[in-house]
Amino acid sequence: MTKQAKSAGKTLSRLQRRAGASLWWAIALPLVSGGLLVWQAATLAHVVGQAVESRVELTALLPSLALILALMGARALFSGIGDWLGTRGAEAIKQALRQDLLAGLLARSPRRQDQPHSGAAVTAIIDQVEALDGYFARYIPAAAQAALLPLVFGAIILPLDWVAGTLFLVSAPLIPLFMALVGWGAQAATDRQAQALSRLSGRFADRLRGLLTLKLFGREAAETDGIMLASENLRRRTLRVLGIAFLSSAVLEFFAALGVAGVALYLGLTFIDFLHLRSSPLTLELALFLLLMAPEVYNPLRLLAAHYHDRAAAKAAVAEIEAQLGFLTDGVPTLSDAAPCLGRALAVTLSGVTLRTPDHQRVLVENIELDIAPGQHIALLGPSGQGKSTLLDAIAGLRTHEGDILLDGKPLGDWPEHHLRARTFLLTQRPRLLHASLADNIALARPGASRRDIETAAERASVMPFAAALPYGLDTIIGEDGLGLSGGQAQRVALARLFLRDAGLILLDEPTAHLDPALEAEIMSALLAYARGRTLIVATHSHAAAAQLDKTWRIAGQSLVPVAISAKRKGVA
Amino acid sequence: MSVLTMFIPLFKRRLGALSLTLLLSVVTLASGIALLGTSGWFITATALTTLGLGFNLFVPSAMVRAFSFVRILARYGERFVGHNATLKLLSDLRGWLFGALFPRLPLADRSIRHGDIVSRLTADIDALDVAFLVAVGPMLGALLIGTVMTVVLALLLPGAAIIYGACIGLAAIAVPVILVLVARKAGRDTVLAAADARIAVYDAINGHADLTILGVLGSAHARFNDIAERLRDRRLLLAALTSGAAVLVQFLAALALVGTLWQGLAAQEAGTLDPAVLVGLVLAVLGSFEATGVIVRSVGKSLAAFAAAERLNALTQVPPAIVEPAHPKPFPTDHSVTLSDVHFSYDAGAPVLKGVTLTMAQGERIAIAGPSGGGKSTLLHLLLRLAEPHCGTIRIGTTRLSDIKSSEVHAHIALLSQDSPVFIDTIRNNLRVARAAADDEALWQALAVARLDTFVASLPQGLDTVVGESGRTLSAGQMRRLCLARTLLSQASIILLDEPTDALDRANEIAFFETLRAATVGKTVIMVTHADVPPGTVDRVVEMRNGTIRD
């Protein structure tokens, strides 16, 4: 067993504890049902033995027939309930794990470099977690049955007939051994095969993602053939491996068949006095009981074999989740919203601040100093890529920095996260919209905002003019990444969120980038009206926008330079 | 269920293998039943015989051994043939999906966007491939076995045949059908809840920064939790229905067994049935319910397959974006581009292009600037004939674009988009996507123009280095260059670039533009960008605002 597989196994057993009592019942009920099975077989053998050997009348046997019916009914119920409880346990684990995984991801900084992209996160949280289902719901109960029932059955049979009992007790534990021997050689090949399979589905997904590119290069036929060829190659190789893998289940079948056939022959030969291995005479009742139990001894093992791959799948899924998300722990932070808190405008002080690109390769700004009085409105100019966005991010506490950033004289690090979020607002350059209605997207800024407030905010951010043209107005559902809206429209929806907040410090990154001059002027005036009495920092290309603010700074050569702009000069930086 | 008919042609191609699988599974089940039945008959007969050692042992013991080995071999064959057929089906399905998708691209469109399309498609394909083996196979197998057993009972023990036939009929047909009818809604709800959960994760990760800034991570997480809990509850309901059906099937098995036993004992008492045959029949009936045991679980799984089939089917219902010309004209040798008064909107939405007029000489290089979302990318899609203008015309030389086959258009006009992918493959194969027959010399030349040759030459495996996905081997800038090299390799004479530097920092952006100028000498270039284009990169910058171009 590799180290990785071992740690995956540990993780699985840790997860198992979260299922609560359901899983224990899911394990226990089939065992109880196994006990009832012995009773059922004994009764059935008794009825037939009595009727055939002792010529007992049918009417006298009717209660026993009823008992068989009742026992079979009870076993059906137990196994049904056991199945369902297994599912319940597995669902509880999956649901808790999904919550924790997402919480863990969200609790990290959104600017972390190793944050997985959304596709990988979806696959891990939805698909890989789903792959754990079979392990908890079916494999674990099956493993318990396979470990206990054959031995219990053997122990019950042994005092009744030592030959059959010994046959069962010896052959049942031998089966896993033989399966392991046969499976051994196949294991490495199976692992390689699983890798090849995941490579193929990886390739399939990869090509699907780039389908448009392939189409534009005229690769329709070639790629379709390529995928089918790869798929066919994999099939041929998979079959070679499966051929061996199926041998191990054939071994199981062999023993099961041998058990039944062997017991039948042994009993028949004993009856006709060919074999004399028993000290007491054999009755038909006992012989039938032994024959009925023979397949049941091997059934739990067959069940386990059927669910054996669930374990491998679960281990692979755990490894994959850990590889994609980088963690799979119990200690997960609880997430809560920042409660709104009122306050005055914030003063911003930068002293000796140095910012680097996320990979730390390049210095963006070095040793900058800036003092912004509460309520002051500041413009940041400069070509893109010079660090305007990074500076806004840093002031909002999203990036690491060297030097001191103080809000109201208090270093950023000393601000409780919730307090910081309630008092600041940052509009990023590429705000993301959710797959929800426009109104819900705006209301994100204040959960529980009233409809009137949302409409007012939409009005102020000039969302209303284009929303009115949409089929359901503000209730129109927009897609992931704001699909269905233009860049400028998406920006305005995100801006509308500002008007539902009560921030003492407003940081806006290119709020008017995608807008024409008339709309820009309209939005700037709404913004300035709202920002009265609040500190405002706007990163912008637009001199027109900058000219309406109290002061303008420019990032040039890694430092901040004050700029004098007259309101008359308009244009693009 | 009718959506499954969609896939009948695919299943038909594998009919032989699938039938063989079914046959082998029936043989497996039948020999299991015969093994139990013969054993039961054998021990009872020996118990009652007065012949002692004179009892004919040979025939029954040979039968017991024969049934055992037939069962083992049939099971092995069933699994081998079945998996082979399934894997072949999976290849077919992948090919079918690609074939169905290509003419319908770009899929950027409204109806299909639940979470990550790609992972959905892969999941759906995987769900579908088991449809035969998990649902149809066991049901047919159980029906066949049940019929044969009923006939055998009718011959030997007519009273039991009615009870048994009714029970197995209910178990193999009625219960699964009722389960499908009752659980269908629950199945669909489960699929919907899973899709919602997908979207919720997607939204939470994509909007992570905004959610953090707004301090609403708690709400976002709570929203996901609600959906995850709904998913859990839906699945539990589905599981309860499936387990209930399984209990019902087992009840029916119990009734069949006890009914057969009751009728058999009565017949035995009346002297019309040999006791050994009675025991044989009872054990055979017991064994025959192995066939129905798997049905319920298979039906449960096939509910997911139906949902998957429905969603894959939806893909093929999307009409192709354009109509190919009935009498296509060749791509003209004059590569000037003229757009006159082009209008366009997606679906019935607001107009995206509102009268674009633009003329470009052959070999001219222009940049289209302006706010993103103003219709620039749409304009490029129209030039590539991925969509048709609502009114107005696009001409290459004097030929209308709509008179040229789209494959011809793509052979002469190449696109480098901001999300052009680097495939998980070797550098050589990534480049050859553009021109399959390109020799190494041509590849190195393209890499040289894109200024990536020195880097690739420094890699230990050179052109055979596998790149893509994680992008560990290549930086963002290098990936762009690789895509540029690929675009140039295509030998298209008109090159379209859609925000080619979007993922690059400024230093890389400037370097990229410099490369571009050298790399596209003699070609017509249309570049959409909102970056500051260094002087000399293009001949002309036009601005696009609100769906119109002001030259």
Side-chain angles (χ1 to χ4, degrees), chain A residues 44 47-48 51-52 55 57-58 65 69 72-73 76 79-80 83-84 87-88 91 94-95 98-99 102-103 105-106 108 110-111 115 118-119 121-122 126-127 130 200 204-211 213-217 219-220 224 228 231-232 235 239 243 246-247 249 253-254 257 261 264-265 267-269 271-272 274 284 287-288 291-292 302 307 335-338 398 421 425-426 428 430-432 434-435 444 447 480-481 483 486-487 501 514-516, chain B residues 39-40 42-44 46-49 52-53 57 61 64 68 71-72 75-76 79-80 83-84 87-88 91 94-95 98 101-103 105 108 113 115-116 118 121-122 197-199 202-219 221 223-225 228-229 231-232 235-236 239-240 243 247 250-251 254 257-258 261 265-266 268-269 275 279 283 286 290 297 371-373 410 415 421 423-425 433-434 436 469 490 502 506 545-546:
Chain A
L44 183 56
V47 168
V48 176
V52 173
R55 295 269 151 205
E57 296 222 344
L58 177 57
L65 282 184
L69 198 59
M72 289 183 87
S79 79
D83 266 4
W84 186 78
T87 307
R88 199 169 88 154
E91 288 298 328
K94 288 189 299 182
Q95 201 255 350
R98 286 186 172 132
Q99 284 190 10
L102 188 65
L105 277 182
L106 291 182
R108 302 201 280 195
R111 298 286 188 243
Q115 196 73 330
S118 54
V122 168
I126 304 296
D127 300 318
E130 195 57 53
L200 177 70
F204 184 63
D206 183 53
R207 299 288 147 128
L208 268 176
R209 229 170 268 139
L211 220 48
T213 301
L214 296 170
K215 177 188 169 113
L216 291 178
F217 282 123
R219 299 277 293 168
E220 283 103 326
T224 308
M228 288 194 61
S231 207
E232 278 293 281
R235 175 184 65 82
L239 269 190
F246 291 158
L247 264 186
S249 67
E253 289 289 335
F254 175 75
L265 274 181
L267 294 170
L269 293 175
F271 274 131
I272 59 170
F274 187 81
L284 179 62
L288 270 178
L291 187 64
L292 283 171
R302 285 162 65 180
H307 297 308
L335 299 171
S336 58
D337 288 354
L398 294 178
R421 292 302 152 226
F425 178 90
L426 167 64
T428 58
R430 291 180 148 203
R432 299 287 194 160
L434 310 181
H435 180 85
L444 204 62
E480 303 140 6
D481 295 347
L483 213 68
S486 78
R501 308 280 292 189
H514 308 301
L515 309 176
D516 58 38
Chain B
S39 307
F42 173 62
I43 62 159
T44 317
T46 51
L48 298 178
T49 187
L53 284 172
L57 264 179
S61 67
V64 165
S68 306
R71 185 179 160 85
I72 294 162
R75 171 74 81 199
Y76 187 87
R79 304 188 73 181
F80 197 86
H83 278 82
N84 190 17
L87 289 170
K88 271 189 179 155
S91 303
R94 290 190 172 121
F98 266 48
L101 275 179
F102 272 121
L105 293 174
R113 50 154 195 243
D116 185 359
V118 172
L121 283 180
T122 13
R198 230 172 249 283
I199 295 175
Y202 194 84
D203 274 347
I205 301 300
N206 267 336
H208 191 179
D210 297 275
L211 296 170
T212 308
I213 293 159
L214 292 171
V216 290
L217 288 174
S219 309
H221 191 238
R223 194 163 39 238
F224 172 73
N225 288 355
E229 275 166 20
L231 176 62
R232 179 195 62 194
R235 289 183 61 105
L236 279 180
S243 299
V247 170
Q250 288 192 50
F251 275 149
L257 177 80
V258 174
L261 187 58
L265 289 175
Q268 193 247 165
E269 212 170 65
V279 176
L283 283 178
L286 199 59
E290 184 192 351
R297 184 167 287 162
S372 63
H410 300 158
L415 170 73
F423 295 106
I424 308 174
D425 213 329
V433 162
E469 185 81 314
S490 76
D502 213 50
R506 185 60 185 164
R545 267 182 193 279
N546 292 322

Side-chain angles (χ1 to χ4, degrees), chain B residues 466-480:
Chain B
V466 175
V467 292
E469 185 81 314
S470 58
R472 286 222 181 86
T473 339
L474 299 180
S475 72
Q478 287 163 333
M479 286 209 220
R480 303 276 65 215

Side-chain angles (χ1 to χ4, degrees), chain A residues 260, chain B residues 25-41 67 71 141-142 144-146 148-149 152 164 168 279-292:
Chain A
V260 178
Chain B
S25 86
V26 169
V27 169
T28 310
L29 287 169
S31 50
I33 295 168
L35 174 61
L36 266 180
T38 314
S39 307
W41 171 83
F67 287 136
R71 185 179 160 85
L144 272 172
I145 290 290
V148 172
M149 270 303 290
V152 171
Y164 177 85
I168 197 134
V279 176
L281 286 180
V282 168
L283 283 178
V285 165
L286 199 59
S288 75
F289 275 87
E290 184 192 351
T292 54

Side-chain angles (χ1 to χ4, degrees), chain A residues 47-357:
Chain A
V47 168
V48 176
Q50 290 288 300
V52 173
E53 253 180 349
S54 317
R55 295 269 151 205
V56 173
E57 296 222 344
L58 177 57
T59 43
L61 292 172
L62 283 180
S64 298
L65 282 184
L67 178 62
I68 295 174
L69 198 59
L71 283 171
M72 289 183 87
R75 286 185 52 229
L77 269 181
F78 282 179
S79 79
I81 294 171
D83 266 4
W84 186 78
L85 287 173
T87 307
R88 199 169 88 154
E91 288 298 328
I93 292 172
K94 288 189 299 182
Q95 201 255 350
L97 182 59
R98 286 186 172 132
Q99 284 190 10
D100 289 358
L101 287 175
L102 188 65
L105 277 182
L106 291 182
R108 302 201 280 195
S109 161
R111 298 286 188 243
R112 247 175 91 140
Q113 275 222 295
D114 59 352
Q115 196 73 330
H117 67 86
S118 54
V122 168
T123 308
I125 295 179
I126 304 296
D127 300 318
Q128 305 287 1
V129 170
E130 195 57 53
L132 303 180
D133 186 75
Y135 175 77
F136 293 113
R138 293 184 295 273
Y139 173 80
I140 287 187
Q145 291 175 59
L148 273 177
L149 288 183
L151 295 178
V152 171
F153 293 163
I156 290 173
I157 290 165
L158 192 63
L160 299 173
D161 186 288
W162 68 269
V163 179
T166 311
L167 179 69
F168 293 150
L169 278 179
V170 171
S171 69
L174 271 182
I175 294 176
L177 186 70
F178 274 98
M179 282 169 69
L181 280 178
V182 175
W184 225 338
Q187 191 56 48
T190 313
D191 287 349
R192 272 202 303 279
Q193 214 48 40
Q195 274 170 15
L197 186 72
S198 78
R199 261 208 303 279
L200 177 70
S201 38
R203 179 187 152 123
F204 184 63
D206 183 53
R207 299 288 147 128
L208 268 176
R209 229 170 268 139
L211 220 48
L212 183 59
T213 301
L214 296 170
K215 177 188 169 113
L216 291 178
F217 282 123
R219 299 277 293 168
E220 283 103 326
E223 279 304 317
T224 308
D225 290 351
I227 277 290
M228 288 194 61
L229 192 71
S231 207
E232 278 293 281
N233 277 336
L234 182 71
R235 175 184 65 82
R236 254 175 248 123
R237 282 189 295 145
T238 308
L239 269 190
R240 251 178 303 199
V241 176
L242 283 181
I244 311 168
F246 291 158
L247 264 186
S248 72
S249 67
V251 168
L252 191 57
E253 289 289 335
F254 175 75
F255 274 96
L258 199 72
V260 178
V263 165
L265 274 181
Y266 157 71
L267 294 170
L269 293 175
T270 307
F271 274 131
I272 59 170
D273 293 329
F274 187 81
L275 283 176
H276 303 279
L277 297 172
R278 287 181 57 91
S279 48
S280 60
L282 182 66
T283 61
L284 179 62
E285 181 179 333
L286 178 59
L288 270 178
F289 175 69
L290 294 177
L291 187 64
L292 283 171
M293 288 309 294
E296 301 298 342
V297 172
Y298 303 99
N299 253 346
L301 292 164
R302 285 162 65 180
L303 189 70
L304 179 64
H307 297 308
Y308 202 75
H309 67 274
D310 285 333
R311 181 160 166 266
K315 283 190 168 179
V318 165
E320 194 58 32
I321 292 170
E322 281 180 336
Q324 286 293 343
L325 308 189
F327 63 91
L328 213 164
T329 52
D330 290 317
V332 184
T334 44
L335 299 171
S336 58
D337 288 354
C341 66
L342 300 170
R344 297 172 307 106
L346 298 179
V348 179
T349 311
L350 308 184
S351 105
V353 170
T354 297
L355 295 171
R356 297 168 195 277
T357 51

